[in-house]
Amino acid sequence: APVSLLSRFRGALVAAVLGDCVGGEFEGAEDVPLDRVLQHLTGLEDETRGDGILQYSDDTAMTRCVAQSLLTRMGFDEQDMARSFAKEYSLAPGRGYGSGVIQVLRKLASPQLSDVFQPARAQFGGRGSFGNGGAMRAAPFALAFRSAADVRRYARFGAMLTHSCSLGYNGAVLQALAVHLSLQGDLALPQKFISKLISEMEEVENDETSRSDAKVLNLAEFPYCARLHRVKELMEQNSVSIEEVISELGNGIAALESVPTAIFCVLHCLEPREGLPERYGGLERTIAYSLALGGDTDTIACMAGAIAGAHYGISAIPQSWLKSCEGAEEAEHLAERLYKLYNIT
Ligand code: 8NA
Ligand code: MG
Ligand code: MG
């Protein structure tokens, strides 16, 4: 049966929470054997499981702020979104935020602050953060704006509140565009999907700041496009090892080393894969595979979850997994409200 747009909206935000919650277990781990991932996921299905609820981290906390701000302001309002981030951080500072971004979040709490983009620009000696913290919370932009141009524009500004380096905000733009295309059903044609992302990013990265940041950081020209071309090559290969994915695409906390990786996880898991249970559907495969890469697992699984959830819809997410995830119901509620907003604007 075709997946309805409402189901895709719910799937996107709920699977993002799922990825964050189940990915927390392995965050920062270098070697994550697939056995351990499958054990962790099977453990969620155990009714008698004693270890309680899996808590969400900064990824979900900030995604909720983005969604809530877009809803209350019925669009992008940088002042409101900045205040929302600052308030969330002050109420729950222990959610595993990056060590740099907490300085921005503290400054954003100041009522005297007039330029809400200024604290982000002061990060890392004025270069700004290239972490994946802008990308991890980018999904709601794809649920709030219909046109790719608006998704691009507002995902960029939304990320710039904490990540002023082009590698940081361009990663957020890429993640939001991937969710945008997935909502339209574009993952039905995976080659076309990746080609569209490449041509979008060719425009996005073709500006002076992006070009000079790539040079200063000693990266290839058009760094996101270069990674997406690698994604395409890996897709065309018959077999791909975890080690190869990590060395070609990365699994780190930099947006460049995690957003293309998350996109690859989704594309790779569109089909059954060796080592993953046959009873798993595509969404379950995507989550399991993302965790098996190790590194920044909560964030990679969160981003892959959002893209995959937008493709498969809410019914592809096992209830038995969700019931252990803090914040899943709230995410579904936010998705429903964004769907209403999407349909009136
Ligand atoms: P951020 O802006 O603090 O960036 C994260 C880190 O990236 C920084 O602490 C720096 O080490 C490094 N970094 C970013 N930009 C630069 C730069 N221009 N020069 C030098 N180093 C730089 O935080 P964020 O919001 O981007 O968060 C990214 C990740 O950190 C998320 O995955 C989040 O969950 C969190 N986190 C990750 C881990 C982990 O082990 N993978 C652990 C705890 C928290
Ligand atoms: Mg996190
Ligand atoms: Mg993380």
Side-chain angles (χ1 to χ4, degrees), residues 20-64:
D20 180 14
C21 289
V22 301
E25 172 81 6
F26 306 105
E27 189 178 17
E30 236 180 79
D31 255 314
V32 185
L34 198 51
D35 285 2
R36 270 195 64 207
V37 170
L38 299 179
Q39 224 173 52
H40 179 51
L41 292 172
T42 306
L44 303 176
E45 293 161 20
D46 183 357
E47 293 292 333
T48 59
R49 212 171 68 88
D51 38 358
I53 230 105
L54 299 172
Q55 293 198 332
Y56 64 75
S57 75
D58 53 338
D59 307 59
T60 300
M62 295 193 91
T63 303
R64 286 164 72 137

Side-chain angles (χ1 to χ4, degrees), residues 5-14 142-143 183 335 338-339 342:
L5 189 60
L6 176 57
S7 176
R8 292 175 186 275
F9 269 58
R10 287 172 163 152
L13 292 198
V14 174
L143 279 60
L183 285 173
L338 283 165
Y339 179 76
Y342 187 91

Side-chain angles (χ1 to χ4, degrees), residues 11-322:
L13 292 198
V14 174
V17 173
L18 172 70
D20 180 14
C21 289
V22 301
E25 172 81 6
F26 306 105
E27 189 178 17
E30 236 180 79
D31 255 314
V32 185
L34 198 51
D35 285 2
R36 270 195 64 207
V37 170
L38 299 179
Q39 224 173 52
H40 179 51
L41 292 172
T42 306
L44 303 176
E45 293 161 20
D46 183 357
E47 293 292 333
T48 59
R49 212 171 68 88
D51 38 358
I53 230 105
L54 299 172
Q55 293 198 332
Y56 64 75
S57 75
D58 53 338
D59 307 59
T60 300
M62 295 193 91
T63 303
R64 286 164 72 137
C65 293
V66 171
Q68 255 146 13
S69 178
L70 292 171
L71 282 163
T72 50
R73 306 302 302 152
M74 294 177 76
F76 180 67
D77 175 338
E78 65 267 24
Q79 304 280 340
D80 184 74
M81 199 171 283
R83 267 196 301 274
S84 174
F85 291 154
K87 189 170 174 210
E88 168 61 34
Y89 175 69
S90 74
L91 292 173
R95 295 251 185 215
Y97 288 88
S99 53
V101 76
I102 60 181
Q103 299 170 43
V104 180
L105 297 172
R106 288 203 189 104
K107 290 181 189 167
L108 289 177
S110 162
Q112 279 92 21
L113 185 72
S114 56
D115 178 2
V116 289
F117 295 103
Q118 191 280 323
R121 283 198 298 266
Q123 291 295 95
F124 300 99
R127 281 168 296 147
S129 174
F130 52 60
N132 57 22
M136 72 187 184
R137 61 175 192 250
F141 291 101
L143 279 60
F145 301 102
R146 285 171 170 273
S147 76
D150 281 348
V151 171
R152 255 161 68 166
R153 175 177 308 121
Y154 297 115
R156 180 172 186 268
F157 285 131
M160 284 171 87
L161 290 168
T162 52
H163 290 67
S164 78
C165 175
S166 64
L167 275 303
Y169 59 73
N170 284 346
V173 169
L174 175 57
Q175 168 64 12
L177 285 171
V179 176
H180 169 78
L181 293 181
S182 182
L183 285 173
Q184 321 293 316
D186 281 21
L187 275 167
L189 297 170
Q191 291 293 341
K192 219 170 147 192
F193 177 87
I194 195 76
S195 299
K196 273 194 195 174
L197 282 180
I198 291 172
S199 57
E200 288 278 352
M201 292 310 288
E202 278 168 356
E203 278 181 48
V204 170
E205 293 192 291
N206 190 21
D207 78 308
E208 217 157 303
T209 311
S210 301
R211 283 168 165 271
S212 85
D213 284 350
K215 254 198 205 115
V216 169
L217 291 165
N218 243 319
L219 300 164
E221 280 193 313
F222 292 74
Y224 280 100
C225 292
R227 297 273 161 143
L228 291 171
H229 280 290
R230 287 190 207 166
V231 169
K232 211 173 149 118
E233 283 159 24
L234 290 173
M235 282 166 74
E236 283 154 10
Q237 252 172 256
N238 287 331
S239 97
V240 187
S241 71
I242 297 269
E243 293 71 30
E244 231 174 323
V245 177
I246 298 170
S247 80
E248 289 292 308
L249 303 176
N251 64 358
I253 55 175
L256 184 64
E257 296 188 346
S258 48
V259 182
T261 311
I263 291 168
F264 176 75
C265 288
V266 180
L267 290 163
H268 184 71
C269 293
L270 287 168
E271 286 165 38
R273 293 291 172 183
E274 213 187 296
L276 294 172
E278 269 175 47
R279 65 190 166 91
Y280 274 14
L283 188 124
E284 293 145 291
R285 288 195 294 270
T286 304
I287 297 291
Y289 189 78
S290 306
L291 304 195
L293 296 180
D296 196 0
T297 47
D298 67 332
T299 303
I300 295 173
C302 171
M303 295 189 294
I307 303 164
H311 176 62
Y312 299 106
I314 187 73
S315 54
I317 309 174
Q319 275 303 318
S320 60
W321 289 10
L322 277 187

